[in-house]
Amino acid sequence: MRMTSTLLAGTLFAAAMFAGPAFAQAGKTAETKEANAPDQKPAFENQTRASLPDAVPEISVDVVAKGLPHLWAMEFLPDGRMLVTAKAGTMHVVFQDDGQASPPIEGVPEVMSNGQGGLLDVALAPDFERSNRIYFSFSEPRDGGNGTSVASAKLIEQDGTFLLQEVKVIFRQMPTYDGDKHFGSRLVFGPKGELYVTVGERSDPETRVGAQDLASGFGKVFRIDAEGKAFADNPFSKTEGAQPEIWSFGHRNLQAATLDDQGRLWTVEHGPKGGDELNRPEAGKNYGWPKVTYGIDYSGAPIGEGITALEGTEQPVYYWDPVIGPSGMAYYTGDAIPEWKGAFLIGGLVSKGLVVLHMEGDKVAHEERVPFDARIRDVKVAPDGSVFVVTEARGGGESTILRLVKS
């Protein structure tokens, strides 16, 4: 089942899939295309177009599994098998030894899979090895429309087949809206068992303003417990009219999130035409959308007043113009690719590759890219330090799981 990167280059993709030369040229940047909003200037050094690192590892790629349904997320089970979600609404277990996927897991609730909707992220409960409990997000069909919801269930294996038991929706993004875009969504458990849920603002002009409204669930990061309840110390738990689950607000469409080595949440959200953002969401803070953003509207018009800074809103740690189309994110602490230690690994749907952000403290020092001729939907780090990515074809089609190792 497995193929080397050489064979892969001639079969699945039009271009070889590897990092660049072992040593990057000083002063060069990973992004070389013209910005959509060239008159906009960063607020501080290295907020965008950071230079390439001095040393860039050569990467080999193995195909772990191919011919899979259109996947959205992947999570490692303790035994090394991979639990995956398919956009159309099925969940499977994929075996690393032969790349085969199980039949659809029974018990997955109905999903709305039109447009950007579908079965979205999946995460293991912190006590999974004892409880067998998983959490997953999905676009839930509802009276009057749909919305991002989070469910919990027990993953049970019986006689070689898998099923979900005790399925329960624990949280619903409200209000319901009849649209098919910007659902988010990533699920990340924090060090104290808190569950961060990222969602989008549903894209349309009439909904995007909800990102600034604490009574609305559009464009937020939520912080809930394992039962879906707000924590008493959430920043707006005592604010009249606010949704108590809100952690941060003013977000556009968050499809990438992870913890760093200090247990802090980081996210990357889709911007407009330009303006994808790396942020470290903090309690109660406003990240600006749609009042303030880098980039422009798809029509070429400015977003709102066209401003990139506003008192009371946070600057992104980093932004991209043109966009990378972020989806999936991991923080690398392994030893298998030492050049990436302490870096964020981000999937690029538009840039078609892995984006590597090398950090110095809480700032980006360098940006590196591993090019693929495929959209990257999710990124995970295996226990042995190798990096796994999930590819997708635009508009549907099959997905592939790839393993990246240092050559």
Side-chain angles (χ1 to χ4, degrees), residues 123-131 133 135 189-194 226:
L124 306 187
D127 66 347
F128 175 82
E129 293 192 62
R130 178 181 61 82
S131 69
R133 188 159 293 280
Y135 290 77
F189 276 101
K192 298 180 181 178
E194 67 273 36

Side-chain angles (χ1 to χ4, degrees), residues 132 232 271 291:
N132 280 73
K291 289 184 175 182

Side-chain angles (χ1 to χ4, degrees), residues 124-165:
L124 306 187
D127 66 347
F128 175 82
E129 293 192 62
R130 178 181 61 82
S131 69
N132 280 73
R133 188 159 293 280
I134 66 169
Y135 290 77
F136 56 95
S137 57
F138 64 107
S139 308
E140 182 185 37
R142 306 172 185 166
D143 289 342
N146 50 68
T148 303
S149 295
V150 179
S152 68
K154 283 190 173 182
L155 177 65
I156 304 300
E157 183 175 3
Q158 293 180 346
D159 301 322
T161 63
F162 300 88
L163 68 154
L164 299 184
Q165 293 181 347

Side-chain angles (χ1 to χ4, degrees), residues 42-297:
F44 51 84
E45 186 180 4
N46 274 9
Q47 193 184 21
T48 191
R49 298 188 183 234
S51 64
L52 290 165
D54 293 335
V56 177
E58 293 185 357
I59 299 297
S60 296
V61 180
D62 293 331
V63 178
V64 176
K66 64 177 182 175
L68 300 170
H70 182 187
L71 300 184
W72 211 92
M74 185 192 90
E75 185 67 276
F76 281 104
L77 296 171
D79 61 7
R81 294 180 295 183
M82 297 165 286
L83 180 63
V84 298
T85 62
K87 181 180 181 296
T90 59
M91 196 177 293
H92 306 263
V93 172
V94 177
F95 300 83
Q96 281 200 53
D97 54 354
D98 60 6
Q100 297 301 305
S102 72
I105 295 172
E106 297 179 13
V108 176
E110 180 185 1
V111 308
M112 195 292 291
S113 60
N114 297 337
Q116 296 175 5
L119 184 57
L120 304 173
D121 205 14
V122 63
L124 306 187
D127 66 347
F128 175 82
E129 293 192 62
R130 178 181 61 82
S131 69
N132 280 73
R133 188 159 293 280
I134 66 169
Y135 290 77
F136 56 95
S137 57
F138 64 107
S139 308
E140 182 185 37
R142 306 172 185 166
D143 289 342
N146 50 68
T148 303
S149 295
V150 179
S152 68
K154 283 190 173 182
L155 177 65
I156 304 300
E157 183 175 3
Q158 293 180 346
D159 301 322
T161 63
F162 300 88
L163 68 154
L164 299 184
Q165 293 181 347
E166 301 178 19
V167 179
K168 179 184 178 183
V169 174
I170 65 165
F171 180 77
R172 288 181 169 93
Q173 176 198 32
M174 296 298 290
T176 294
Y177 180 68
D178 190 13
D180 66 359
K181 296 179 179 66
H182 291 199
F183 295 93
S185 149
R186 291 293 170 182
L187 306 176
V188 177
F189 276 101
K192 298 180 181 178
E194 67 273 36
L195 178 58
Y196 294 101
V197 180
T198 75
V199 299
E201 36 61 289
R202 306 309 308 274
S203 180
D204 295 338
E206 62 266 35
T207 62
R208 66 174 57 163
V209 295
Q212 290 292 319
D213 183 359
L214 295 178
S216 167
F218 296 154
K220 305 296 192 297
V221 174
F222 300 106
R223 179 176 178 258
I224 57 177
D225 66 17
E227 302 301 319
K229 304 301 183 184
F231 282 88
D233 62 349
N234 277 1
F236 303 110
S237 62
K238 295 179 174 63
T239 302
E240 185 176 357
Q243 294 192 8
E245 299 89 355
I246 294 172
W247 177 253
S248 61
F249 65 106
H251 300 287
R252 187 170 181 267
N253 189 25
L254 296 132
Q255 291 189 343
T258 193
L259 300 181
D260 64 13
D261 58 352
Q262 299 178 54
R264 301 177 302 174
L265 180 71
W266 292 73
T267 62
V268 185
E269 65 187 77
H270 289 265
K273 192 174 182 182
D276 290 348
E277 293 185 4
L278 170 73
N279 288 300
R280 183 170 68 83
E282 295 183 73
K285 292 192 175 181
N286 181 357
Y287 291 83
W289 180 260
K291 289 184 175 182
V292 53
T293 184
Y294 290 91
I296 56 176
D297 209 343

Side-chain angles (χ1 to χ4, degrees), residues 30-35 49 321-322 350-351:
E31 182 57 76
T32 59
K33 295 179 182 177
E34 184 178 348
R49 298 188 183 234
D321 183 6
V350 174
S351 59

